[in-house]
Amino acid sequence: MKIVVLAAGTSTERDVSVSTSRNVCASLRRNGHKANMIDAFFGTDRYTDTDAFFEDDSDLDALSRQMLAKTKDVPAELKRREAAREGFFGPFVIDVCRAADIVFIGLHGANGEDGKVQGAFDLLGIRYTGTDSLSSAISMNKDYTKKILVAAGVRMPEGITLHRDEDREKVLESFPVPCVVKPACGGSSVGVSIVKEREALGAALDAAFALEDTVLIEEFVSGQEFSTGVLAGKAMPVVQIEAAAGGYNYENKYKAGGAVETCPAPVDEETTKKLQKAAEDACRAAGVTPIGRVDEILGENGEVYCLEINTLPGMTETSLVPKEAKAMGMSYDDLTEKMIELSLDKYRK
């Protein structure tokens, strides 16, 4: 098949997306597909026609370096396009996506994982991997996620939503600490703070509001962190996460040795089933299919708390879903092929 791997984008997770996309594209080539990756935002001027794009066995490492080098140019280009009333997609992007049998969405974060790209592709008749635009939008916004999941009986940490134009004083004075402050739509733990002293709450809010206009403040649930992938509605093996100093933040997620991730998780069968059921229930409530990953905490009270749903799980060397697939006897290449197969099934019904 002819497959576009849509990479990079404009979010704070752009660089992680490049790593995901490089790995996925290499895997799809090993599986025999005519796959190539393209920067969703900057596009390309290398090709005169779409056939040349799919026939090009491009150097993925070199292409990745080029995309990473462009990251610094994103803010200025966003401002320019906004002033010129230009769109998100770069040159040649829509052309190759229309010509593809399917687009593997390797984007992470805003303008990729929030349903906007999926909605545009739906209107253009472009087939893509992952869940649909509505479930993407719900899952990307932690405020909406909580409203949907809690109503469906999925346990989540208690908390409030605060908008930029709202008065913070009552929150600063009375919200219980320790607590967790996080942007409503961020990913990879960017902008997330664990506040242990009230004096630090204001700075944590400032850090989150520097990224977005809506912020969640939640109770701090003390316990062990886990993550559970859900493939075709069924939970994968559970991962136990033990982060280095600083918690499971952006740096520890993506640097070697930043966290110890054990899969299958060294917990008893009853606990495993509780974690898996919570993940399945969360994805079902939000409509996430064919694949998602749910971050969870097993509280000291023995209850499972869902933290968020990732609709486009990372596929880097340190990502969790490939670890879970391996634990169930599925290689990385088997996983990417399964994701293509399940995604195409959506269009055959």
Side-chain angles (χ1 to χ4, degrees), residues 173-187:
E173 292 172 1
S174 62
F175 196 91
V177 292
C179 63
V180 179
V181 176
K182 53 189 175 184
C185 296

Side-chain angles (χ1 to χ4, degrees), residues 213-335:
D213 292 333
T214 303
V215 168
L216 268 69
I217 311 167
E218 296 179 333
E219 65 172 323
F220 175 77
V221 178
S222 181
Q224 179 63 58
E225 294 186 63
F226 297 88
S227 192
T228 307
V230 179
L231 184 65
K234 298 297 182 183
M236 301 171 75
V238 178
V239 180
Q240 183 186 63
I241 300 165
E242 296 175 284
Y248 200 47
N249 53 24
Y250 182 94
E251 182 180 3
N252 284 340
K253 282 186 178 184
Y254 298 110
K255 76 173 183 181
V260 176
E261 299 157 348
T262 307
C263 185
V267 295
D268 58 56
E269 184 178 355
E270 180 183 357
T271 301
T272 296
K273 288 182 177 178
K274 285 171 62 175
L275 289 160
Q276 290 178 319
K277 183 179 186 303
E280 290 174 357
D281 290 347
C283 286
R284 187 180 304 111
V288 173
T289 186
I291 191 167
R293 198 195 78 233
V294 181
D295 295 336
E296 303 166 293
I297 286 183
L298 179 65
E300 293 177 350
N301 58 2
E303 298 288 349
V304 175
Y305 295 80
C306 290
L307 301 180
E308 63 179 274
I309 304 173
N310 302 271
T311 57
L312 294 175
M315 297 286 284
T316 71
E317 291 88 346
T318 59
S319 294
L320 301 179
V321 165
K323 292 179 188 290
E324 297 178 57
K326 184 178 180 180
M328 58 191 290
M330 180 181 290
S331 71
Y332 189 99
D333 291 350
D334 291 338
L335 176 61

Side-chain angles (χ1 to χ4, degrees), residues 47-225:
Y47 308 99
T48 56
D49 60 73
T50 58
D51 286 341
F53 173 85
F54 292 108
E55 293 295 335
D56 184 13
D57 190 20
S58 55
D59 183 328
L60 297 178
D61 290 330
L63 193 51
S64 297
R65 289 192 294 270
Q66 292 168 15
M67 292 183 185
L68 293 174
K70 296 286 286 183
T71 296
K72 68 182 186 306
D73 300 328
V74 169
E77 179 62 9
L78 277 170
K79 288 183 179 179
R80 187 198 69 77
R81 290 194 196 181
E82 183 179 356
R85 300 181 69 180
E86 294 180 7
F88 166 79
F89 295 106
F92 208 57
V93 172
I94 295 300
D95 300 85
V96 293
C97 289
R98 276 180 159 163
D101 294 301
I102 192 167
V103 176
F104 196 111
I105 300 182
L107 302 171
H108 298 311
N111 294 327
E113 202 165 357
D114 55 9
K116 293 179 182 178
V117 167
Q118 291 83 351
F121 283 0
D122 287 340
L123 292 174
L124 292 169
I126 295 170
R127 298 189 291 185
Y128 55 88
T129 57
T131 198
D132 64 16
S133 59
L134 178 59
S135 54
S136 296
I138 290 170
S139 301
M140 186 66 188
N141 188 304
K142 297 177 182 65
D143 183 25
Y144 296 162
T145 302
K146 180 169 287 190
K147 288 180 171 66
I148 297 293
L149 267 57
V150 170
V154 178
R155 187 183 296 272
M156 300 186 76
E158 297 286 340
I160 62 171
T161 301
L162 186 67
H163 301 285
R164 186 186 297 278
D165 58 358
E166 293 180 319
D167 187 359
R168 303 187 195 180
E169 290 307 312
K170 187 175 180 180
V171 173
L172 292 171
E173 292 172 1
S174 62
F175 196 91
V177 292
C179 63
V180 179
V181 176
K182 53 189 175 184
C185 296
S188 288
S189 298
V190 177
V192 176
S193 302
I194 297 176
V195 178
K196 297 180 180 179
E197 299 176 352
R198 184 165 304 282
E199 294 74 17
L201 182 53
L205 288 172
D206 289 341
F209 278 123
L211 298 172
E212 295 180 21
D213 292 333
T214 303
V215 168
L216 268 69
I217 311 167
E218 296 179 333
E219 65 172 323
F220 175 77
V221 178
S222 181
Q224 179 63 58
E225 294 186 63

